[in-house]
Amino acid sequence: MAQLPILHYPDPRLETVAQPILSVDDEVRRLAADMAETMYEAPGIGLAATQVDVHRQLIVIDVSESRDQLLTFINPKIVAASEEIASYEEGCLSVPGIFDEVERPARVTVEALGLDGKPFTLEADGLLAVCIQHEMDHLRGVVFVEHLSRLKRTRILAKLRKQQRAM
Ligand code: NI
């Protein structure tokens, strides 16, 4: 396994739309393992392939306290979303040090393929629902700050530029 470098907002490669995975083979499983290692080391609770500059529909998530409940979603699709909206303070490994409230459907049902290539359906609420929607946004080239106001985005970009100058 290997850790992969994570792209940082506003890198334009984060705007790339990911392509579906046609065959769940050893290469895909190796990518998923490397992404999981990268997520745990960061540490983070979710990572989309887009963030490691691989533009294929693959995300890994672990929202457990014990850090041993790894979920892998290949070609995920949201097939149902609640009308109820929930607000959650989100962060992102591609936007270090920035946290802000984003509103999303409180519950979603997602269909995806697992690492065995078999389809599964998962109903999620709470943090897991937030995380699934956040990571699926990455696959369509959207970073969570795009959900914020223009004013907030401008402030975030200024703060990130300052951070990068200090590095
Ligand atoms: Ni993110």
Side-chain angles (χ1 to χ4, degrees), residues 46 51 91-94 134-135 138 143-144:
Q51 293 176 273
C92 180
L93 294 175
S94 293
H134 174 119
E135 301 310 332
H138 279 301
V143 177
F144 84 99

